[in-house]
Amino acid sequence: MTPRRNEHRDNPEYFTPIYKMALAQFEQAADKLSLDPNLRKRFTDPKRAIMVNIPIRLDDASVEVFHGYRVHHDTTLGPSKGGIRFHPDVNLGEVSALAMWMTWKCALMGLPFGGAKGGVRCDPHALSRNELQRLTRRFTAEIIRFIGPEMDVPAPDIGTNEQIMAWMMDTYSQFKGYSIPGIVTGKPINIGGSLGRTEATGRGVVFCIMEAMRHLKMTPEGKKIVIQGFGNVGANTAQIIDEEGCQVIAVSDVKSGIYNPNGLDIIALRAHVEKTQFVEGFTESEPIGNKDLLELTCDVLVPAALSEQITRDNAERISCKILAEAANGPTTLAADKILQDRGLFLIPDILANAGGVTVSYFEWVQGLQNFFWKEQEINERLREIVCSAFNNVLQLSLTEKVDMRLAALMLSVQKIAKAKLARGLFP
Ligand code: NAD
């Protein structure tokens, strides 16, 4: 007999530690909001998830098959939106958790999007440019029925960049027979990308940190910043916060970290990374391991690399006043509780790193209208949206006496719950 109720929620494909973490965060918000159980069920599993095999010919003429995913968590507010990750750890649970976080993030920023995420399990550094191009194009072809400017709009994430977006846009356009820039965001400016998109996530992180400093009555001048990860988000955060008068004293990447208690020269460091790919070997700095870097005494710690970096094991030793989650899911549930008890001010990922999807929204709108905005206009609109979301979250956290993550989730979940109720349940 077919069960009337879904009692098989232990599907191991989804229920990885990171998906359980995303779900537990949602459930805290749902409990606090006393969310109707009928609505609650509709948020816990993604709307749809697609898994594809991607065969490509490698440069040595052999064929390799990679695994790819695209997950749409929710589309109540509009087309789904979310990045594509190329990384060896990509799996259905991770992509589903990231898609759920995108749903909350878009709602929190007031964007007309639902949440999605995608990824291919591969090591992009081990593939040649041609292999990467074939992988991107075949992946796009395999998921083509599930993406589109009105349906689901990919963007870059870890291991992907504007070149990958250009290949996705070209593949999609070749299938349709005409150019469709609105299919992806984070693409190069010369094919319809937006000014300010590359720096947007870092810029949003810095807007949030400045608002947090204002709330905590701190001034930016000379404040010590530590950043884990020196890719798109980490490097842009470093440069923009340096321009605000702060001192970035340590950064790291997948290989190693560097430290200078008097502050790193970020422009010179970016030039060094441009040339050598890694932060290692930068002059006027000493090496530091990733573990020690996270525990450095500083004013602001910015995890801008992978998830689950601040855990039960190191949360007691995290020594900052503000923790700005530029990465998605860098703090585990157990660590969250410890940091909260210790009184650290945490800016949650769905708020801290939402600058990227906000300028992606601007890019999508500009693409649909074929009317392009000036960079200053983009940065100003970004500031307005990020700062207003920050202050909405802060106000709710103060009135409800909950931490910033729970406040942010409550605002998002409530917004989508209301929209679901207004739309009703089909059929
Ligand atoms: P990226 O690939 O450009 O950079 C990732 C950086 O992290 C690299 O410097 C890499 O060397 C480093 N790294 C990888 N593994 C590491 C490890 N174990 N320890 C220390 N460093 C490590 O990716 P990105 O776009 O900068 O994304 C970083 C994070 O920000 C991710 O969690 C991503 O989901 C999140 N994010 C990105 C955007 C965006 O617009 N790109 C938007 C929102 C959130």
Side-chain angles (χ1 to χ4, degrees), residues 85 157 159 197 201 230-233 253-254 290 304-306 327-328 353:
R85 181 173 286 198
D157 191 70
R197 172 62 185 91
T201 307
F230 204 69
N232 172 308
V233 180
D253 59 29
V254 65
N290 251 308
L306 302 176
N328 285 306
N353 69 33

Side-chain angles (χ1 to χ4, degrees), residues 144-145 147-149 170-180:
I144 207 150
R145 276 166 296 167
I147 56 175
D170 184 68
T171 305
Y172 188 83
S173 300
Q174 295 299 340
F175 269 80
K176 298 290 169 186
Y178 52 96
S179 292
I180 306 177

Side-chain angles (χ1 to χ4, degrees), residues 85 87 98 105 117 125 156-160 197-198 201 228-234 252-255 278 290 303-307 309 326-329 353-354 356-357:
R85 181 173 286 198
H87 192 274
L98 290 161
K105 198 180 299 183
K117 204 79 182 189
H125 300 293
D157 191 70
I158 295 182
T160 57
R197 172 62 185 91
T198 311
T201 307
Q228 183 198 41
F230 204 69
N232 172 308
V233 180
S252 64
D253 59 29
V254 65
K255 218 167 157 193
F278 298 103
N290 251 308
L306 302 176
S307 58
Q309 297 299 299
N328 285 306
N353 69 33
V357 71

